[in-house]
Amino acid sequence: MERIVAGNMGISPGIGAGVGEAAGAEPFADALERRGLSLVRGEITTLQVNTGYLCDLRCRHCHLEAGPGRTEIMSRETMAAVVSFARRFPFQVIDITGGAPELVPDLPFLLEGLAPLAPRLMLRTNLSALNGAARESLLALCVAHRVVLIASFPSTNPSQADAQRGAGVTETSIAVLKKLNDAGYGVEGTGLELDLVSNPVGAFLPVSQASAERKFRHDLLRKWGVAFNHLYTFANVPLGRFRTWLLRTGNYERYVKTLVETFNPSAIDRLMCRTLLSVSWDGYLYDCDFNLSVGRPNGERKVHVLDVRDLPPPGDPIAVGEYCYACTAGSGFT
Ligand code: SF4
């Protein structure tokens, strides 16, 4: 079968369900080797903690296929193991993600345990799960520990955003953003950082981060009087629910083609997997959230945080697959 390399195409639809493998695409590892590149670890500075796949939304771009019915939720016992791991191996940044971490019953326990251990503690939120009186105490805890909030907000066009995340989600998200601004988040001088994350609402790459940030800042202020600190743009990774949507709508070939064609060698050095370790909801180590979603553990063998003797050293190989093309497309997105 003719291989897809930057510059020549031809992918067969209905690509094998292999984990992120795009039949016909030049394997990512080969694309690196052909250019004399390698993707290996640098010094690990970030711990990403995935608290599970429970979520109140079913976003179209979700590589984890998180949703209301998911039962993979980090237990208090595993959280205690993660806290002891972070105490043994200090990290500069700890990034709590999911699913919707806000819905995980023992999240306050995890926040309290990790807050003293990292100069920068981040909590991802889809905003919708932060809505309501039941979350007031969580918000107070975030303020008390100066937790950085990273909020998903795909577009300032409500119908586009709702197409990706569900009807009415943008309206709820705006209400929560206003509540966060009232609490000091995203407001100059408060030290309470509120950043937004935007994924494209379809099978195309994001616009440049700088121009997207200018547009979001202008629109959010003009339309809703909402402020934030930074905006980050990410390409959708052709895994999970996004892959299913691409295949169902006949966009898979074209989207993978775009990712492969816009491969950017200079993005390699800045990839998050070089400085990050990801811990799954049940306590095992992965090179990133995408490798976690396809079940490829760090070093290709499952090691629980309780059993780690040393962190993977600089120079160690990172598990790669064709989904990595989403991270190296255009200006690079992790
Ligand atoms: S998916 Fe992205 S972050 Fe994960 S290993 Fe590949 S390049 Fe690195």
Side-chain angles (χ1 to χ4, degrees):
M1 173 170 306
E2 180 184 355
R3 287 207 169 288
I4 297 176
V5 299
N8 85 2
M9 296 298 107
I11 305 177
S12 57
I15 293 164
V19 287
E21 305 294 333
E26 179 183 23
F28 189 79
D30 295 359
L32 293 179
E33 195 183 335
R34 192 164 53 77
R35 293 173 176 84
L37 298 168
S38 62
L39 179 51
V40 296
R41 288 209 162 277
E43 193 216 337
I44 295 174
T45 57
T46 299
L47 177 65
Q48 186 170 62
V49 182
N50 192 303
T51 57
Y53 309 157
L54 177 62
C55 189
D56 59 327
L57 304 179
R58 277 195 187 82
C59 298
R60 183 163 70 196
H61 70 291
C62 185
H63 61 281
L64 292 165
E65 301 193 276
R70 300 302 298 258
T71 55
E72 300 91 337
I73 299 172
M74 187 173 272
S75 67
R76 195 180 180 95
E77 188 195 1
T78 303
M79 288 178 180
V82 170
V83 170
S84 114
F85 176 68
R87 194 172 291 122
R88 281 190 294 137
F89 302 102
F91 296 90
Q92 290 159 30
V93 179
I94 297 181
D95 175 8
I96 300 173
T97 187
E102 308 95 312
L103 302 182
V104 174
D106 288 311
L107 178 65
F109 169 80
L110 183 65
L111 284 173
E112 299 267 22
L114 293 175
L117 301 179
R120 188 173 172 82
L121 179 60
M122 308 194 307
L123 178 67
R124 310 261 174 161
T125 171
N126 67 12
L127 295 171
S128 163
L130 204 49
N131 190 34
R135 304 286 173 243
E136 295 301 332
S137 60
L138 176 60
L139 181 53
L141 190 63
C142 290
V143 170
H145 289 297
R146 321 310 274 174
V147 175
V148 176
L149 293 179
I150 313 286
S152 305
F153 198 84
S155 169
T156 59
N157 174 326
S159 59
Q160 285 184 356
D162 283 3
Q164 185 193 74
R165 308 178 77 214
V169 173
T170 302
E171 189 182 338
T172 304
S173 298
I174 293 295
V176 173
L177 285 172
K178 287 181 175 176
K179 188 171 77 175
L180 294 177
N181 278 173
D182 292 345
Y185 270 101
V187 178
E188 219 50 53
T190 63
L192 294 171
E193 187 177 334
L194 170 62
D195 299 335
L196 303 182
V197 167
S198 167
N199 284 72
V201 293
F204 45 84
L205 292 179
V207 298
S208 84
Q209 193 159 286
S211 64
E213 184 170 272
R214 278 193 300 276
K215 178 174 170 35
F216 274 60
R217 201 174 297 290
H218 172 265
D219 288 1
L220 280 163
L221 204 56
R222 183 177 58 79
K223 290 183 180 181
W224 299 293
V226 163
F228 64 92
N229 295 96
H230 312 289
L231 175 93
Y232 300 102
T233 55
F234 289 92
N236 293 319
V237 180
L239 292 174
R241 199 171 287 134
F242 188 62
R243 181 175 182 274
T244 306
W245 178 81
L246 287 170
L247 287 168
R248 187 165 47 74
T249 56
N251 281 304
Y252 193 100
E253 272 191 36
R254 188 177 55 73
Y255 186 69
V256 172
K257 179 180 171 190
T258 302
L259 295 180
V260 174
E261 259 189 2
T262 55
F263 175 84
N264 173 3
S266 66
I268 297 289
D269 286 345
R270 292 176 277 115
L271 293 172
M272 69 176 176
C273 47
R274 303 197 66 240
T275 57
L276 171 145
L277 260 186
S278 176
V279 178
S280 62
W281 62 278
D282 50 358
Y284 292 94
L285 290 184
Y286 293 80
D287 292 328
C288 72
D289 214 39
F290 306 119
N291 277 310
L292 164 58
S293 71
V294 295
R296 294 187 66 191
N298 165 255
E300 305 292 1
R301 66 189 184 87
K302 289 186 82 170
V303 178
H304 195 275
V305 286
L306 286 173
D307 304 323
V308 175
R309 287 208 192 83
D310 290 306
L311 295 183
D316 237 26
I318 292 169
V320 298
E322 277 56 69
Y323 41 89
C324 297
Y325 281 116
C327 296
T328 54
S331 55
F333 295 109
T334 60

